[in-house]
Amino acid sequence: QVRLVESGGGSVQAGGSLRLSCAASGYTGYTLCIGWFRQAPGKEREGVAAIRTPGGNTIYAASGQGRFTISQDNAKSPVYLHLTSLKPEDTAMYYCAAAFVSSPVCSLSESRYAHWGQGTQVTVSS
C-alpha cells in the first residue's frame, strides 16, 4: 500500500516562496509517477507537476511553468515542489498523489493517480 504524507504548506505574501514535501512509502521496487495537484475553494482539482521515480522525467502545467520546480534527490527521498513568485491565485490545498507506471512520461490527469495524501494548505496574501 502506497502511503503519501505532505508537509511544508503555510501562509506567505505574494512574491514569496515555499517548498512542499511529499514523503512516499510502500512502493519499493516499482516505478511511480508522483504528482502534485491543487484545489482552490470552489474550483476543480488541477495537476501542477509530476515526476517519474526512479528516472526523474518531469512534466508541468502551464500555471506553474517557470515558477514551480518538482524534484527528488534520489529514489528514496521525498518529492519536493518548490513554489516561487507565489500569487494569491496559487492559494489552494496542495495534494501529492502516486501512480504505478510503465511509461517514461507522467500524466497530470488526476484519474491516473490511485493513491493520495491528505494535502497541505498554501495561502498567498496580496
Side-chain angles (χ1 to χ4, degrees), residues 51-117:
I51 187 168
R52 187 176 183 270
T53 177
N57 291 347
T58 59
I59 185 173
Y60 293 89
S63 58
Q65 194 80 34
R67 298 190 299 128
F68 300 166
T69 303
I70 190 169
S71 66
Q72 185 184 35
D73 294 334
N74 59 67
K76 295 185 179 180
S77 71
V79 170
Y80 301 105
L81 183 66
H82 192 198
L83 311 172
T84 65
S85 301
L86 283 163
K87 306 173 183 179
E89 51 263 44
D90 295 317
T91 294
M93 184 70 79
Y94 283 71
Y95 300 89
C96 71
F100 291 97
V101 296
S102 56
S103 166
V105 179
C106 293
S107 168
L108 288 179
S109 172
E110 67 171 290
S111 64
R112 300 289 186 92
Y113 292 78
H115 308 278
W116 292 81

Side-chain angles (χ1 to χ4, degrees), residues 21-67:
S21 176
C22 174
S25 60
Y27 69 97
T28 303
Y30 294 92
T31 300
L32 294 182
C33 281
I34 294 181
W36 282 97
F37 295 79
R38 68 183 183 183
Q39 187 167 23
K43 294 188 177 181
E44 294 186 353
R45 190 154 53 185
E46 63 173 352
V48 175
I51 187 168
R52 187 176 183 270
T53 177
N57 291 347
T58 59
I59 185 173
Y60 293 89
S63 58
Q65 194 80 34
R67 298 190 299 128

